[in-house]
Amino acid sequence: AQSVTQPDIHITVSEGASLELRCNYSYGATPYLFWYVQSPGQGLQLLLKYFSGDTLVQGIKGFEAEFKRSQSSFNLRKPSVHWSDAAEYFCAVGNQAGTALIFGKGTTLSVSS
Amino acid sequence: NAGVTQTPKFQVLKTGQSMTLQCAQDMNHNSMYWYRQDPGMGLRLIYYSASEGTTDKGEVPNGYNVSRLNKREFSLRLESAAPSQTSVYFCASSLQGATYNEQFFGPGTRLTVL
């Protein structure tokens, strides 16, 4: 069965430090992968997506993610975190029917000054 | 463009009461979705509608019904609310199937069932 695992429930990073949020997926074929961000009290916003091609994808707000098929991973990175990046981050994979997304349980990012 | 709108924003129900959560999108999207979000559980799909006139069950459909009223509107109904349905409910839409297209989310409805 398809699934998405985000191993880190909560991460704290100092402002200006680099960030990596982990995501592992279970999927039989080529996955369609997404990262969404949710600010407190808000809905979700798409950061970036991977369908095919270049395994390093660029997104909004300075985020990038790298698809590694051999590790079944799609980790999200940012070289320098800003206080406004504090939010909950969700990794998701498209289901095989192409009808919906399967979300991970999320990683909460806190940014310390 | 308002995007995806949801009403109400907050609701408190007593066990056994019924209510309908409303969702509308103005992006001419074909597909619409209802998710619930619970702490530590991420988002779980309740129902989706791939196109006007069709609806299908998601991961957690029990206790809910949906209506795709037209292309713009997709409502979620709780016939007899239970405390286990206390959650934040998100509506989303996409141009076609969610696998290939970005989903746009509404701001959510925070529901408490006492």
Side-chain angles (χ1 to χ4, degrees):
Chain A
Q2 293 170 266
S3 65
V4 176
T5 302
Q6 293 180 248
D8 304 305
I9 296 173
H10 189 194
I11 285 181
T12 299
V13 175
S14 298
E15 189 169 16
S18 63
L19 169 70
E20 182 169 29
L21 300 182
R22 296 183 291 165
C23 172
N24 294 99
Y25 65 89
S26 172
Y27 192 86
T30 300
Y32 294 79
L33 296 159
F34 304 79
W35 274 100
Y36 281 82
V37 61
Q38 183 183 30
S39 297
Q42 303 296 314
L44 279 72
Q45 180 185 22
L46 180 68
L47 283 176
L48 48 78
K49 60 189 177 185
Y50 171 78
F51 287 173
S52 64
D54 193 346
T55 56
L56 185 63
V57 294
Q58 302 296 321
I60 63 171
K61 304 184 181 186
F63 285 92
E64 66 179 27
E66 185 171 13
F67 170 63
K68 293 185 177 180
R69 185 188 297 277
S70 61
Q71 298 178 18
S72 297
S73 69
F74 188 56
N75 294 349
L76 182 71
R77 300 195 294 245
K78 187 170 185 178
S80 178
V81 168
H82 188 261
W83 64 266
S84 60
D85 294 323
E88 190 160 18
Y89 292 80
F90 293 95
C91 182
V93 63
N95 69 0
Q96 288 183 317
T99 52
L101 296 182
I102 299 167
F103 284 87
K105 295 184 178 181
T107 298
T108 300
L109 173 66
S110 298
V111 180
S112 62
S113 56
Chain B
N1 275 356
V4 180
T5 57
Q6 293 182 236
T7 55
K9 286 187 168 52
F10 300 93
Q11 184 71 48
V12 179
L13 294 178
K14 294 181 180 178
T15 297
Q17 288 185 316
S18 62
M19 79 162 295
T20 299
L21 281 65
Q22 306 288 352
C23 173
Q25 52 89 11
D26 62 1
M27 295 173 283
N28 202 34
H29 285 171
N30 292 305
S31 302
M32 298 185 73
Y33 314 83
W34 277 106
Y35 292 92
R36 60 177 289 172
Q37 182 180 30
D38 303 293
M41 298 296 292
L43 277 78
R44 293 180 292 170
L45 183 66
I46 304 172
Y47 272 92
Y48 66 95
S49 171
S51 61
E52 188 178 353
T54 68
T55 60
D56 286 285
K57 295 178 181 179
E59 181 185 353
V60 289
N62 291 345
Y64 305 96
N65 285 301
V66 291
S67 295
R68 183 73 182 268
L69 304 169
N70 48 55
K71 191 171 185 178
R72 290 187 63 248
E73 299 171 289
F74 188 39
S75 63
L76 178 71
R77 183 161 177 82
L78 286 69
E79 291 290 352
S80 179
S84 61
Q85 294 179 303
T86 294
S87 187
V88 181
Y89 291 85
F90 287 100
C91 178
S93 71
S94 64
L95 185 58
Q96 298 290 347
T99 292
Y100 312 106
N101 296 273
E102 176 182 356
Q103 285 191 342
F104 292 81
F105 285 81
T109 294
R110 188 173 296 273
L111 174 67
T112 301
V113 183
L114 303 175

